Amino acid sequence: MSERNEASLADQIDALLPQTQCRKCGYQGCRPYAEAISNGEADIDQCPPGGDQGIQLLAELLNVPAKPLNPEFGVQRPLQIAVIDETACIGCTKCLPPCPTDAILGASKQMHTVIAALCTGCELCVAPCPVNCISMVVSTNTEWTKANADLSRLRHQAKNQRQVKAEAEKSERLNRQKQLLAKLNKGKTTV
Ligand code: SF4
Ligand code: SF4
Ligand code: SF4
Protein backbone atom coordinates (compact mmCIF):
# COMPACT_ATOMS: atom_id res chain seq x y z
CA MET A 1 0.00 0.00 0.00
CA SER A 2 1.40 3.46 -0.88
CA GLU A 3 2.10 6.07 1.80
CA ARG A 4 -0.72 8.21 0.37
CA ASN A 5 -3.24 5.34 0.68
CA GLU A 6 -2.10 4.57 4.24
CA ALA A 7 -2.62 8.22 5.20
CA SER A 8 -6.08 8.22 3.72
CA LEU A 9 -6.96 4.99 5.54
CA ALA A 10 -5.84 6.58 8.83
CA ASP A 11 -8.07 9.56 8.00
CA GLN A 12 -11.04 7.27 7.38
CA ILE A 13 -10.44 5.38 10.62
CA ASP A 14 -9.97 8.63 12.55
CA ALA A 15 -13.30 9.87 11.19
CA LEU A 16 -15.03 6.89 12.88
CA LEU A 17 -13.39 7.35 16.30
CA PRO A 18 -15.23 9.30 19.05
CA GLN A 19 -12.45 11.90 19.53
CA THR A 20 -12.73 12.01 23.32
CA GLN A 21 -8.89 11.81 23.28
CA CYS A 22 -9.11 9.74 26.48
CA ARG A 23 -6.07 7.50 25.70
CA LYS A 24 -7.89 4.41 26.97
CA CYS A 25 -6.90 2.62 23.74
CA GLY A 26 -3.27 2.81 24.85
CA TYR A 27 -2.35 5.60 22.43
CA GLN A 28 -1.92 9.35 22.97
CA GLY A 29 -5.28 10.13 21.35
CA CYS A 30 -7.65 9.07 18.59
CA ARG A 31 -5.36 10.01 15.70
CA PRO A 32 -2.37 7.94 16.91
CA TYR A 33 -4.74 4.99 17.48
CA ALA A 34 -6.14 5.44 13.94
CA GLU A 35 -2.60 5.36 12.56
CA ALA A 36 -1.75 2.27 14.61
CA ILE A 37 -4.82 0.44 13.24
CA SER A 38 -3.96 1.47 9.70
CA ASN A 39 -0.38 0.20 10.17
CA GLY A 40 -1.65 -3.12 11.53
CA GLU A 41 -0.13 -2.40 14.98
CA ALA A 42 -3.41 -2.11 16.89
CA ASP A 43 -6.67 -4.05 16.83
CA ILE A 44 -10.13 -2.55 16.30
CA ASP A 45 -11.40 -3.52 19.79
CA GLN A 46 -9.49 -1.03 21.96
CA CYS A 47 -11.78 2.02 22.15
CA PRO A 48 -14.20 1.93 25.14
CA PRO A 49 -16.01 5.21 24.30
CA GLY A 50 -16.76 3.90 20.79
CA GLY A 51 -17.96 0.56 22.18
CA ASP A 52 -19.41 -2.22 20.06
CA GLN A 53 -21.01 0.24 17.64
CA GLY A 54 -17.64 1.84 16.93
CA ILE A 55 -16.01 -1.56 16.46
CA GLN A 56 -18.75 -2.51 14.00
CA LEU A 57 -18.04 0.63 11.93
CA LEU A 58 -14.29 -0.06 11.93
CA ALA A 59 -14.90 -3.69 10.96
CA GLU A 60 -17.04 -2.58 8.00
CA LEU A 61 -14.44 -0.06 6.85
CA LEU A 62 -11.59 -2.55 7.08
CA ASN A 63 -13.65 -5.48 5.84
CA VAL A 64 -12.76 -7.66 8.84
CA PRO A 65 -15.04 -9.50 11.31
CA ALA A 66 -16.37 -7.43 14.24
CA LYS A 67 -15.44 -8.53 17.76
CA PRO A 68 -16.41 -7.50 21.30
CA LEU A 69 -14.65 -4.63 23.06
CA ASN A 70 -11.47 -5.91 24.71
CA PRO A 71 -12.08 -5.42 28.49
CA GLU A 72 -8.35 -4.87 29.03
CA PHE A 73 -8.94 -1.36 27.67
CA GLY A 74 -12.04 -0.63 29.79
CA VAL A 75 -15.80 -0.79 29.47
CA GLN A 76 -18.23 1.43 27.61
CA ARG A 77 -20.01 3.79 30.01
CA PRO A 78 -22.68 6.48 29.71
CA LEU A 79 -21.23 9.83 28.65
CA GLN A 80 -19.70 11.68 31.60
CA ILE A 81 -18.41 15.19 32.17
CA ALA A 82 -16.03 16.65 34.72
CA VAL A 83 -17.29 18.96 37.46
CA ILE A 84 -14.97 21.02 39.65
CA ASP A 85 -15.91 21.74 43.26
CA GLU A 86 -15.06 25.43 43.07
CA THR A 87 -15.10 25.81 46.85
CA ALA A 88 -12.23 23.32 47.14
CA CYS A 89 -10.21 24.38 44.05
CA ILE A 90 -6.88 25.99 45.00
CA GLY A 91 -6.21 27.40 41.52
CA CYS A 92 -3.02 25.38 40.99
CA THR A 93 -3.71 25.01 37.20
CA LYS A 94 -2.51 21.38 37.18
CA CYS A 95 -5.72 20.29 35.44
CA LEU A 96 -5.17 22.61 32.45
CA PRO A 97 -2.32 20.89 30.53
CA PRO A 98 -3.91 17.41 30.39
CA CYS A 99 -7.27 18.64 29.06
CA PRO A 100 -7.27 17.70 25.37
CA THR A 101 -9.89 20.22 24.33
CA ASP A 102 -9.09 23.15 26.65
CA ALA A 103 -12.45 22.68 28.34
CA ILE A 104 -11.30 24.08 31.69
CA LEU A 105 -11.37 27.80 32.36
CA GLY A 106 -9.14 29.32 35.01
CA ALA A 107 -5.86 31.00 35.79
CA SER A 108 -3.24 30.68 38.50
CA LYS A 109 -4.68 31.15 42.02
CA GLN A 110 -8.21 31.48 40.64
CA MET A 111 -10.96 28.91 40.89
CA HIS A 112 -11.37 26.75 37.81
CA THR A 113 -14.50 25.64 36.05
CA VAL A 114 -15.36 23.13 33.30
CA ILE A 115 -17.17 24.27 30.15
CA ALA A 116 -19.58 21.34 29.95
CA ALA A 117 -20.19 21.66 26.21
CA LEU A 118 -16.48 21.18 25.48
CA CYS A 119 -15.78 18.37 27.96
CA THR A 120 -15.25 14.96 26.33
CA GLY A 121 -15.41 13.04 29.61
CA CYS A 122 -11.86 11.78 29.10
CA GLU A 123 -11.05 11.93 32.86
CA LEU A 124 -7.47 13.07 32.19
CA CYS A 125 -7.88 16.07 34.52
CA VAL A 126 -8.94 14.00 37.55
CA ALA A 127 -5.65 12.38 38.64
CA PRO A 128 -3.45 15.52 38.45
CA CYS A 129 -5.70 17.50 40.84
CA PRO A 130 -3.87 17.60 44.18
CA VAL A 131 -7.01 18.27 46.24
CA ASN A 132 -9.35 15.77 44.52
CA CYS A 133 -11.91 18.43 43.69
CA ILE A 134 -12.74 17.13 40.19
CA SER A 135 -15.50 14.53 39.89
CA MET A 136 -16.93 12.80 36.88
CA VAL A 137 -20.74 12.90 36.67
CA VAL A 138 -23.12 11.40 34.12
CA SER A 139 -23.84 13.99 31.45
CA THR A 140 -27.37 15.21 30.83
CA ASN A 141 -26.40 15.13 27.16
CA THR A 142 -26.81 11.40 26.56
CA GLU A 143 -25.60 11.32 22.98
CA TRP A 144 -22.04 12.02 21.77
CA THR A 145 -22.73 13.16 18.22
CA LYS A 146 -20.51 13.46 15.14
CA ALA A 147 -20.63 17.25 15.65
CA ASN A 148 -19.24 16.75 19.19
CA ALA A 149 -16.48 14.51 17.80
CA ASP A 150 -15.58 16.98 15.01
CA LEU A 151 -15.39 19.91 17.45
CA SER A 152 -13.27 17.87 19.85
CA ARG A 153 -10.87 16.84 17.04
CA LEU A 154 -10.45 20.49 15.97
CA ARG A 155 -9.85 21.75 19.50
CA HIS A 156 -7.37 18.94 20.18
CA GLN A 157 -5.47 19.67 16.95
CA ALA A 158 -5.35 23.38 17.85
CA LYS A 159 -4.00 22.56 21.32
CA ASN A 160 -1.34 20.23 19.86
CA GLN A 161 -0.26 22.89 17.35
CA ARG A 162 0.05 25.48 20.10
CA GLN A 163 2.17 23.08 22.17
CA VAL A 164 4.49 22.32 19.22
CA LYS A 165 4.90 26.07 18.57
CA ALA A 166 5.62 26.78 22.25
CA GLU A 167 8.23 23.96 22.35
CA ALA A 168 9.93 25.31 19.20
CA GLU A 169 10.02 28.84 20.65
CA LYS A 170 11.48 27.52 23.91
CA SER A 171 14.19 25.57 22.12
CA GLU A 172 15.03 28.62 19.95
CA ARG A 173 15.34 30.76 23.11
CA LEU A 174 17.65 28.19 24.73
CA ASN A 175 19.81 28.04 21.60
CA ARG A 176 20.13 31.83 21.53
CA GLN A 177 21.14 31.83 25.21
CA LYS A 178 23.73 29.10 24.57
CA GLN A 179 25.19 31.03 21.62
CA LEU A 180 25.37 34.22 23.70
CA LEU A 181 27.09 32.35 26.56
CA ALA A 182 29.56 30.79 24.12
CA LYS A 183 30.38 34.25 22.70
CA LEU A 184 30.83 35.70 26.20
CA ASN A 185 33.09 32.81 27.24
CA LYS A 186 35.13 33.19 24.05
CA GLY A 187 35.52 36.92 24.78
CA LYS A 188 36.80 36.12 28.30
CA THR A 189 39.43 33.65 27.08
CA THR A 190 40.80 36.04 24.41
CA VAL A 191 41.22 39.00 26.83
S1 SF4 B 1 -11.84 7.85 22.18
FE1 SF4 B 1 -10.20 7.34 23.60
S2 SF4 B 1 -9.97 5.12 23.43
FE2 SF4 B 1 -11.14 5.80 21.67
S3 SF4 B 1 -9.61 6.11 20.09
FE3 SF4 B 1 -9.94 8.07 21.05
S4 SF4 B 1 -8.33 8.17 22.60
FE4 SF4 B 1 -8.49 6.03 22.02
S1 SF4 C 1 -12.45 18.80 31.60
FE1 SF4 C 1 -11.41 16.92 32.23
S2 SF4 C 1 -12.75 15.28 31.55
FE2 SF4 C 1 -13.38 17.14 30.47
S3 SF4 C 1 -12.22 17.08 28.54
FE3 SF4 C 1 -11.00 18.25 29.97
S4 SF4 C 1 -9.61 16.77 30.89
FE4 SF4 C 1 -11.27 15.60 29.91
S1 SF4 D 1 -6.06 20.78 39.53
FE1 SF4 D 1 -7.77 20.87 40.99
S2 SF4 D 1 -7.15 22.42 42.46
FE2 SF4 D 1 -5.81 22.67 40.72
S3 SF4 D 1 -6.84 24.25 39.46
FE3 SF4 D 1 -7.53 22.26 38.71
S4 SF4 D 1 -9.41 21.85 39.83
FE4 SF4 D 1 -8.37 23.48 40.92
Side-chain angles (χ1 to χ4, degrees), residues 20-68:
T20 75
Q21 315 299 345
C22 67
R23 305 185 180 186
K24 292 192 167 79
C25 51
Y27 291 86
Q28 293 297 302
C30 301
R31 180 72 201 189
Y33 177 48
E35 283 166 11
I37 296 176
S38 91
N39 294 335
E41 288 164 21
D43 208 339
I44 60 173
D45 59 356
Q46 297 178 206
C47 173
D52 291 338
Q53 198 191 358
I55 292 171
Q56 182 64 42
L57 293 173
L58 290 172
E60 282 165 19
L61 173 70
L62 299 169
N63 205 16
V64 296
K67 50 170 74 174

Side-chain angles (χ1 to χ4, degrees), residues 64-142:
V64 296
K67 50 170 74 174
L69 178 67
N70 183 339
E72 272 180 37
F73 297 93
V75 291
Q76 190 178 22
R77 286 193 301 206
L79 186 60
Q80 294 190 305
I81 56 164
V83 174
I84 294 176
D85 175 356
E86 292 170 3
T87 60
C89 172
I90 56 171
C92 70
T93 74
K94 288 193 174 157
C95 53
L96 298 182
C99 182
T101 54
D102 285 331
I104 304 174
L105 265 186
S108 182
K109 303 203 174 59
Q110 286 177 13
M111 71 176 188
H112 285 49
T113 192
V114 174
I115 307 166
L118 300 178
C119 176
T120 71
C122 71
E123 301 179 70
L124 293 174
C125 55
V126 175
C129 178
V131 293
N132 293 325
C133 71
I134 307 179
S135 332
M136 300 304 299
V137 299
V138 175
S139 170
T140 48
N141 175 14
T142 48

Side-chain angles (χ1 to χ4, degrees), residues 103-182:
I104 304 174
L105 265 186
S108 182
K109 303 203 174 59
Q110 286 177 13
M111 71 176 188
H112 285 49
T113 192
V114 174
I115 307 166
L118 300 178
C119 176
T120 71
C122 71
E123 301 179 70
L124 293 174
C125 55
V126 175
C129 178
V131 293
N132 293 325
C133 71
I134 307 179
S135 332
M136 300 304 299
V137 299
V138 175
S139 170
T140 48
N141 175 14
T142 48
E143 203 194 349
W144 182 253
T145 63
K146 184 169 180 327
N148 292 130
D150 288 345
L151 177 64
S152 171
R153 183 190 294 104
L154 278 179
R155 292 186 65 87
H156 186 54
Q157 283 168 346
K159 176 156 190 162
N160 283 345
Q161 280 161 6
R162 265 204 326 279
Q163 275 171 341
V164 168
K165 194 168 166 229
E167 284 298 318
E169 283 169 359
K170 190 176 162 193
S171 134
E172 210 179 299
R173 245 189 344 267
L174 281 175
N175 276 341
R176 277 203 304 272
Q177 282 168 354
K178 273 188 202 158
Q179 282 166 4
L180 188 64
L181 267 178

